[in-house]
Amino acid sequence: MMFGGGGSKSNASPVAVAQPLYQSLPSDAFHFGGFVPVAAGIPVGGRVHDALGIDEMTASLLHATDTYTIMQRPSLTEGLCPACERSNIYDVYDGVTGMHLFIAKERSDCVPRYCCAPYHSLFLELKAAAGLNPMLSHMVDVDTLGTVLTLERPGCMLAKPCLCCVACSDPCKDGMYMHAGALSADVSAGGIRTTNPRCVGFATQPFLAGGLTPTLTVMERQPTGFRSLATVKGPCLFGGCLELCRSTKFSIAPAAAVGGHVVEGSLGRIVKRKPTDLAGNLREAVTDADVYTLELPPAAQLSAHQKALLLGTLLLADYMYFERDGACCDANGCTLCLVHCGGCLLPCTLRGSGGRSAGAGAGGTGFMADQ
């Protein structure tokens, strides 16, 4: 199945497009428009698109796509042994055509990952996947693919030692930096940040992280420095068994202008999708592999690097909010939901009489909220 760029001819070989990921989206899907065509004949790699260093192929794919579906690959090792934290891998698709755009693979040290996950320092490398055979994309060695974007997340142990605390100072504030292209393997996460001239922008928590409303501030690079691009806000309650019942939505609004009125969600939204079938419910119950959509309105006319920033913000949100609770249920009980308070995530947990519980009598069950 091929999609052309308005009927124009190209000497380059066309890009193969997979079948649509969803034949019909659930009723809670958020649409800003109809079909978004993907131009054929985009060369793999190519020249640099802009001063920030994004290559032409990546910029073309980002420009042509307004709805993204991000699927985290489940780990059998984590399912059998939750203490064995593996590096995350995400597949990024065009949410309309199902075209496989990128594969994002985590690069991190095993000791911080085992001891501090999900607050550990990491790089998340986005690899070009548009030229892969759709039937073989899950079998390819991801490390052999070219890196087009790199997300840098400073975390525990050294860069951000207090990420699980109230977000009242820089060591307590979570965030990420998005870079065009690859970074050297010699650089540690948190060691480059905005000093890289190819840093597209970053996302960080404001003071107290929005209080009861989880909030991220997204900054984009300009010739004169960094300016506010958007504010991402989510619900107070999310995660745990609540994921089985409803989708979790984060609104993306433009940065507040002086004296201006900001419409929530006018720049789009991030949706952590609830499972729609038995397999999805089982995945949610025993793993932390999730499915997201990033929905951006064409009317916003976001540039390639702005879309890359918002895509990176979605991946950061997965680590911050949805990797924390892991599987909904385990041998110790079930996590009903997480409560956001000043940057801390407080789990509301249901345990049997054998586990710790607040207000539970002998042989009874109770609710427990702990950090």
Side-chain angles (χ1 to χ4, degrees):
M1 186 177 182
M2 306 293 179
F3 295 93
S8 59
K9 295 183 178 180
S10 173
N11 294 327
S13 59
V15 177
V17 179
Q19 293 298 321
L21 202 59
Y22 295 103
Q23 296 295 338
S24 59
L25 292 174
S27 58
D28 64 347
F30 188 60
H31 291 286
F32 291 101
F35 179 80
V36 180
V38 177
I42 302 174
V44 175
R47 295 172 296 176
V48 172
H49 169 70
D50 56 21
L52 296 177
I54 297 179
D55 64 89
E56 283 189 338
M57 174 191 172
T58 304
S60 298
L61 292 174
L62 292 170
H63 272 304
T65 310
D66 293 312
T67 302
Y68 301 82
T69 298
I70 297 89
M71 305 181 70
Q72 181 180 351
R73 295 187 186 181
S75 170
L76 180 61
T77 303
E78 288 184 17
L80 297 176
C81 180
C84 298
E85 182 70 23
R86 299 295 302 271
S87 298
N88 287 354
I89 299 179
Y90 303 84
D91 293 287
V92 183
Y93 300 89
D94 184 317
V96 176
T97 67
M99 180 180 182
H100 202 172
L101 303 176
F102 309 107
I103 300 175
K105 182 179 181 181
E106 175 186 332
R107 174 164 59 89
S108 60
D109 295 331
C110 60
V111 173
R113 187 171 67 247
Y114 286 176
C115 298
C116 303
Y119 303 111
H120 58 292
S121 298
L122 60 92
F123 293 102
L124 201 61
E125 298 175 332
L126 274 73
K127 311 282 188 173
L132 298 178
N133 186 325
M135 303 299 295
L136 304 176
S137 60
H138 279 68
M139 302 172 60
V140 70
D141 183 358
V142 179
D143 293 327
T144 62
L145 303 177
T147 300
V148 296
L149 293 164
T150 303
L151 183 154
E152 175 192 16
R153 189 230 190 165
C156 295
M157 303 176 177
L158 300 177
K160 298 275 188 174
C162 305
L163 284 187
C164 56
C165 301
V166 175
C168 58
S169 61
D170 184 70
C172 308
K173 294 180 180 180
D174 211 335
M176 68 89 191
Y177 300 83
M178 181 61 77
H179 305 275
L183 295 179
S184 171
D186 299 329
V187 179
S188 60
I192 184 168
R193 307 193 191 193
T194 59
T195 60
N196 182 11
R198 300 178 71 184
C199 176
V200 174
F202 62 92
T204 186
Q205 293 176 302
F207 180 69
L208 296 183
L212 296 177
T213 303
T215 303
L216 290 169
T217 301
V218 184
M219 309 288 290
E220 64 172 329
R221 187 163 210 145
Q222 295 291 297
T224 56
F226 291 87
R227 71 169 185 181
S228 297
L229 169 64
T231 300
V232 180
K233 293 184 178 182
C236 179
L237 304 179
F238 53 86
C241 294
L242 199 60
E243 296 181 356
L244 303 176
C245 306
R246 71 178 190 187
S247 297
T248 304
K249 304 176 180 65
F250 288 74
S251 64
I252 307 174
V258 178
H261 177 65
V262 175
V263 179
E264 292 292 335
S266 57
L267 280 187
R269 72 178 186 175
I270 295 169
V271 181
K272 195 276 180 187
R273 304 186 67 86
K274 69 177 181 180
T276 58
D277 53 23
L278 178 59
N281 279 279
L282 290 175
R283 184 188 65 244
E284 290 284 352
V286 300
T287 74
D288 56 7
D290 300 312
V291 179
Y292 299 88
T293 55
L294 173 63
E295 301 157 347
L296 306 173
Q301 297 183 342
L302 296 173
S303 65
H305 75 271
Q306 289 171 336
K307 291 182 178 181
L309 264 175
L310 295 177
L311 182 59
T313 303
L314 182 153
L315 296 171
L316 171 66
D318 178 60
Y319 280 97
M320 289 179 59
Y321 304 126
F322 298 102
E323 290 282 303
R324 168 66 173 81
D325 57 338
C328 297
C329 298
D330 55 27
N332 295 320
C334 292
T335 300
L336 300 180
C337 66
L338 299 177
V339 182
H340 183 274
C341 183
C344 296
L345 297 181
L346 309 177
C348 184
T349 312
L350 182 66
R351 302 185 188 277
S353 58
R356 295 182 297 128
S357 60
T365 59
F367 293 94
M368 180 187 70
D370 59 1
Q371 182 177 348

